Amino acid sequence: LLNAIGKMIIRCTIVTKNEDRRIPHAHHLVKREGNTESDTPYEIEVSEENDYIASFQGMGIIHTAKKHIKDELIKKMRAEKLEEIRRKDHRRTTLTVREDTAIRMEAEAAQKWMDLNSVALCFQAFIRNEHGVMEPKSAPVYSNPINNLKSALTGELKICRIDKYASTCAGNEEVFLLVEKVGKKNIKIKFFELDDKDNEIWCDYGKFSELDVHHQYAIVFRTPPYKDRDITEPKVVYIQLERPTDGDCSEPMQFTYKPISNLMQRKRPRMSYSDSVDLSGMIDSTTVTTTTSMVNHTFAGYKPQPVTQTSSSERSAELRKLLEEKCDSEEMRNCLMNLDFEEYVDLVVEAQMGTTGYLATDGPSSSYHHLLAAKAPARVAPVEGPNFAYNVLKQAVQSLKNQERLDNSIMKMLKERTSYGDTPLHSAIRHGQRDIVKHILTLIAGYPELAELINSESAS
């Protein structure tokens, strides 16, 4: 205390943090004296002997329940008003009805705006007059706001742990953050970058929703993209928690943005060791979409009779009857009504063998006629290369002729894959064998069990 003369009393009380509305707070300021605690105003006498210095120790703040706020405010406001009146008339010991009513109304209004998670301390010098009434001798001095550290609204923001300290400059990577108690509606995760003079030159915020805040102690968010996605070396930025209501922030932590790998920026070129060509150069997406849609539409709800040892004329008559009822595509109808697998396979062989008499393969060289020589029911594993789809189709048709229904062996044939991950359908498309593609799709469309082959993916 400065410029004091004689003995003075320094009083410490608890008040609201609002600078424009300083009134007694509903919480209790208690002081420990031995083994007891008291919530009366904390007063210390100062003089020249202690250089007018007051030291307040053993203080604590006791939270008042919300339902008791009004009563506590009325009690404190009455004591403050009565002391103010007695400075003018020391004989007054009670308040008038009008004064008491005004206090009640003020307390009722104050409980609606009072912040229960933040308070301030008020220090003021007094002297005691001849009537024992405290008279102020200095203006009140207020402390900085004191926040409830257990509250998510005012508690200290702190990042306890983070599961990763780096991300690509493209952002959108999932990060798990463990924090001290936060409010899911009142928290942000800020990323920012500083220059050499500690000036902020960039900032952005992590992306998450209220559902990503787990019990106020963990946040799962996605990193924002860095301002430059073409960086060639790592960039160090900072990450911190931010509370929008009061602007409070946690201590920042370092976070690194790394360049996007070249392997992530471009597709890996497919290495081929055969005479096959890339699918994109053989058949465009419009053709594939049109063919698949046509087959699905044509054979929806249609399952042909089991393939048996019947003549070509009998099969054609049966197909003609079914197609008249189910097929509305003239092109597909004309194709299927004249379909003869045995004759078609022989024509394909002649067309693809050319003048060499053999089909090119990715694996060991082998005579095509040698592969077809075995007519026994035992299945021969198809050789990879341009003739892979043909071999599978041939074996599937032969198996269908020898049994009454579709079994697992035929499904397994059509799911065969080459060393490059191609199914028979993919292989036929890759090598431009459009007729084989058409008949494989026809076979698949006739059996719902094979429908999954339409959507299967090749390795490329």
Side-chain angles (χ1 to χ4, degrees):
L1 185 65
L2 301 177
N3 303 321
I5 300 176
K7 294 183 178 181
M8 294 279 184
I9 296 175
I10 306 297
R11 175 187 288 176
C12 177
T13 57
I14 184 171
V15 298
T16 57
K17 70 170 185 179
N18 310 70
E19 295 182 1
D20 56 336
R21 292 189 288 191
R22 297 285 192 183
I23 64 172
H25 202 283
H27 293 337
H28 296 275
L29 179 67
V30 298
K31 62 180 183 292
R32 181 178 294 276
E33 297 176 346
N35 295 327
T36 62
E37 292 182 348
S38 172
D39 63 350
T40 57
Y42 198 167
E43 299 175 349
I44 295 179
E45 186 177 280
V46 294
S47 62
E48 294 180 357
E49 297 177 0
N50 57 10
D51 295 329
Y52 293 98
I53 297 176
S55 178
F56 296 88
Q57 299 177 349
M59 292 194 302
I61 298 174
I62 302 299
H63 189 277
T64 298
K66 198 170 185 178
K67 62 182 179 180
H68 298 310
I69 291 176
K70 182 179 177 181
D71 294 338
E72 289 296 330
L73 287 176
I74 292 174
K75 177 181 175 182
K76 292 184 177 182
M77 287 180 176
R78 281 174 176 171
E80 188 179 68
K81 184 66 175 178
L82 185 59
E83 186 178 60
E84 181 182 342
I85 292 173
R86 293 191 65 207
R87 289 171 190 154
K88 299 176 182 178
D89 184 3
H90 66 277
R91 291 172 294 182
R92 286 275 300 272
T93 57
T94 59
L95 299 175
T96 64
V97 174
R98 177 178 296 179
E99 292 168 343
D100 192 67
T101 302
I103 289 175
R104 286 180 174 276
M105 294 178 62
E106 186 179 359
E108 187 174 354
Q111 71 173 346
K112 297 179 180 179
W113 57 262
M114 183 172 292
D115 188 350
L116 301 182
N117 291 307
S118 186
V119 300
L121 297 180
C122 173
F123 300 91
Q124 192 171 12
F126 292 86
I127 62 171
R128 196 181 302 273
N129 63 19
E130 65 273 14
H131 302 292
V133 179
M134 300 286 284
E135 295 184 354
K137 288 299 179 180
S138 70
V141 178
Y142 301 99
S143 69
N144 293 328
I146 301 172
N147 297 321
N148 179 9
L149 297 182
K150 295 182 179 181
S151 170
L153 299 176
T154 56
E156 179 185 8
L157 295 177
K158 182 180 179 181
I159 299 177
C160 300
R161 292 190 66 177
I162 185 172
D163 75 324
K164 62 179 66 173
Y165 293 86
S167 165
T168 63
C169 58
N172 201 39
E173 291 196 19
E174 190 174 72
V175 178
F176 287 74
L177 203 64
L178 299 184
V179 299
E180 290 291 350
K181 193 174 184 180
V182 297
K184 62 182 179 180
K185 297 183 179 180
N186 189 30
I187 196 66
K188 290 183 176 181
I189 300 175
K190 181 180 180 181
F191 287 74
F192 63 97
E193 183 180 12
L194 303 177
D195 60 12
D196 296 336
K197 298 182 179 180
D198 289 338
N199 296 319
E200 186 177 295
I201 57 177
W202 168 80
C203 80
D204 204 345
Y205 291 88
K207 299 175 178 61
F208 64 95
S209 68
E210 293 180 9
L211 298 177
D212 296 320
V213 181
H214 183 70
H215 292 297
Q216 299 182 309
Y217 292 99
I219 305 175
V220 181
F221 69 97
R222 291 192 175 275
T223 58
Y226 184 60
K227 62 180 179 179
D228 182 7
R229 302 192 186 188
D230 297 323
I231 58 176
T232 57
E233 58 183 16
K235 295 290 184 180
V236 176
V237 299
Y238 296 91
I239 178 176
Q240 67 180 11
L241 299 175
E242 181 180 289
R243 188 161 50 215
T245 52
D246 58 6
D248 192 22
C249 297
S250 67
E251 287 294 324
M253 299 177 64
Q254 282 193 356
F255 194 87
T256 304
Y257 276 108
K258 296 181 178 180
I260 300 177
S261 171
N262 290 334
L263 292 178
M264 296 176 63
Q265 290 177 325
R266 61 182 177 83
K267 290 185 176 179
R268 177 177 62 86
R270 181 180 182 277
M271 304 300 294
S272 176
Y273 300 97
S274 69
D275 296 331
S276 63
V277 295
D278 191 90
L279 288 175
S280 59
M282 181 54 60
I283 182 167
D284 58 76
S285 60
T286 304
T287 303
V288 174
T289 303
T290 303
T291 304
T292 306
S293 300
M294 179 177 64
V295 171
N296 288 337
H297 178 70
T298 302
F299 291 92
Y302 155 61
K303 181 175 180 180
Q305 298 297 322
V307 178
T308 57
Q309 293 285 358
T310 58
S311 64
S312 298
S313 60
E314 291 174 336
R315 288 197 300 270
S316 298
E318 186 178 1
L319 284 172
R320 184 179 295 106
K321 180 180 178 180
L322 292 173
L323 292 174
E324 286 176 355
E325 299 175 356
K326 300 293 184 179
C327 182
D328 57 358
S329 169
E330 187 66 28
E331 180 183 357
M332 184 63 75
R333 186 184 294 112
N334 291 336
C335 170
L336 295 179
M337 288 177 66
N338 299 292
L339 179 62
D340 188 328
F341 271 108
E342 294 182 0
E343 181 181 359
Y344 169 72
V345 168
D346 293 337
L347 292 175
V348 170
V349 172
E350 293 176 4
Q352 294 192 350
M353 286 176 60
T355 58
T356 62
Y358 298 98
L359 291 172
T361 66
D362 288 338
S365 61
S366 176
S367 168
Y368 178 76
H369 291 288
H370 175 69
L371 291 175
L372 297 182
K375 295 295 184 178
R379 176 171 168 263
V380 179
V383 178
E384 296 187 12
N387 61 330
F388 174 71
Y390 162 76
N391 289 341
V392 173
L393 180 61
K394 178 73 173 179
Q395 294 183 26
V397 172
Q398 187 65 36
S399 297
L400 283 171
K401 290 180 179 180
N402 296 333
Q403 52 191 330
E404 294 297 326
R405 60 184 181 84
L406 185 71
D407 64 6
N408 291 335
S409 64
I410 298 176
M411 295 179 66
K412 188 174 182 180
M413 290 181 196
L414 295 174
K415 292 181 181 180
E416 286 276 3
R417 290 183 180 268
T418 67
S419 58
Y420 299 109
D422 289 338
T423 64
L425 180 58
H426 292 126
S427 179
I429 295 174
R430 184 183 299 280
H431 294 91
Q433 299 163 347
R434 297 175 186 269
D435 289 329
I436 294 182
V437 170
K438 182 181 296 184
H439 292 303
I440 291 178
L441 290 175
T442 301
L443 182 62
I444 292 174
Y447 294 92
E449 301 94 325
L450 301 175
E452 62 182 273
L453 296 177
I454 292 292
N455 298 322
S456 63
E457 298 181 356
S458 67
S460 58

